[in-house]
Amino acid sequence: MLAPIKHLLGNYRIVLASGSPRRQELVSMLGLNAELCPSTFEENLNPEDYKEFSDYIEATALGKAEEVFNRLSAAGDNNNLVVIAADTMVTLGKEIYGKPKDAADAIRMLENLSGKSNRVFSGVILKHAKGVRQFTDTADVYFGDLLPEQIKSYVDSKDPLDKAGAYGVQGPGGALIQRIDGDFYCVMGLPLHRLCCELNKLFLEDLS
């Protein structure tokens, strides 16, 4: 997917504004040699200040990207710097499901998600010296009917405690899910197809 810009990538410093091993794995799958640089942006934006979920998730990702871009720019030339940032959230109706506060909160979330479909939003920012590209991808995730002991066992594994919506599609959490309508990788936290499309446009149009 990145073949049209492969010859250009070596001219740029590409940084992933994240400490997520899942996103690092996904970026590596694309053949991008990206540095990891976790953002110190304080994720305290109020969702009620935004008209759409996509606006909120993109604003959060933009905050991460700009913090890393400005910090690295202060240390040197930023003309060849490209920062990729992303944020993911789970929604059920009008309620946002972020990362659970504790095990009890994870159980509450999974009990609510059981037997229903939830929507995942992944907002992505590509920040560079000339501006920003941004987009949001969505996927609908359909849960099976979960028994209380299944939920408890999954939460006891600690796998869901650091994930939006208290589940991960990769690993044991995948067994909770009947089907996904949309990009599987959107649910993982980085929609690869759309990311590749936007990276191609970035290097061939914005930075040409």
Side-chain angles (χ1 to χ4, degrees):
M1 284 293 292
L2 296 181
I5 60 171
K6 188 175 181 180
H7 63 292
L8 300 173
L9 295 176
N11 299 325
Y12 290 86
R13 181 185 182 188
I14 301 174
V15 176
L16 181 62
S18 174
S20 166
R22 295 182 298 280
R23 289 196 177 106
Q24 181 184 23
E25 176 187 356
L26 293 178
V27 167
S28 297
M29 284 170 53
L30 297 178
L32 284 176
N33 185 22
E35 303 173 35
L36 277 187
C37 183
S39 176
T40 60
F41 175 70
E42 189 173 355
E43 298 179 38
N44 60 358
L45 301 179
N46 185 355
E48 295 181 359
D49 293 337
Y50 299 88
K51 185 177 180 180
E52 305 290 344
F53 284 139
S54 57
D55 297 333
Y56 168 69
I57 201 73
E58 286 180 22
T60 301
L62 180 61
K64 295 180 183 180
E66 289 184 333
E67 187 283 320
V68 169
F69 187 88
N70 293 337
R71 175 155 43 101
L72 296 180
S73 295
D77 184 14
N78 67 11
N79 286 334
N80 293 329
L81 176 62
V82 176
V83 175
I84 302 171
D87 198 57
T88 298
M89 69 180 185
V90 173
T91 63
L92 184 63
K94 295 183 178 181
E95 185 177 357
I96 294 174
Y97 282 49
K99 294 177 182 178
K101 299 174 183 176
D102 51 32
D105 195 33
I107 289 174
R108 176 192 69 84
M109 290 183 184
L110 291 167
E111 287 176 343
N112 290 343
L113 295 175
S114 175
K116 303 185 183 82
S117 67
N118 62 84
R119 177 159 290 183
V120 177
F121 291 76
S122 281
V124 180
I125 299 292
L126 305 177
K127 170 69 178 171
H128 53 94
K130 294 183 178 181
V132 171
R133 273 192 177 269
Q134 60 192 70
F135 67 90
T136 297
D137 201 29
T138 62
D140 293 325
V141 180
Y142 293 79
F143 267 57
D145 294 315
L146 307 180
L147 298 173
E149 53 265 42
Q150 291 174 319
I151 292 174
K152 183 178 184 305
S153 175
Y154 181 48
V155 173
D156 285 347
S157 75
K158 302 189 184 307
D159 182 71
L161 299 183
D162 66 341
K163 296 176 176 64
Y167 73 89
V169 69
Q170 72 285 5
L176 311 178
I177 296 167
Q178 283 186 334
R179 79 174 195 270
I180 296 171
D181 289 346
D183 187 346
F184 172 88
Y185 294 106
C186 173
V187 185
M188 273 191 74
L190 197 64
L192 294 188
H193 177 77
R194 183 71 184 277
L195 175 61
C196 287
C197 292
E198 295 298 330
L199 283 170
N200 282 324
K201 291 177 183 177
L202 173 72
F203 284 98
L204 295 176
E205 299 174 12
D206 301 359
L207 298 177
S208 61

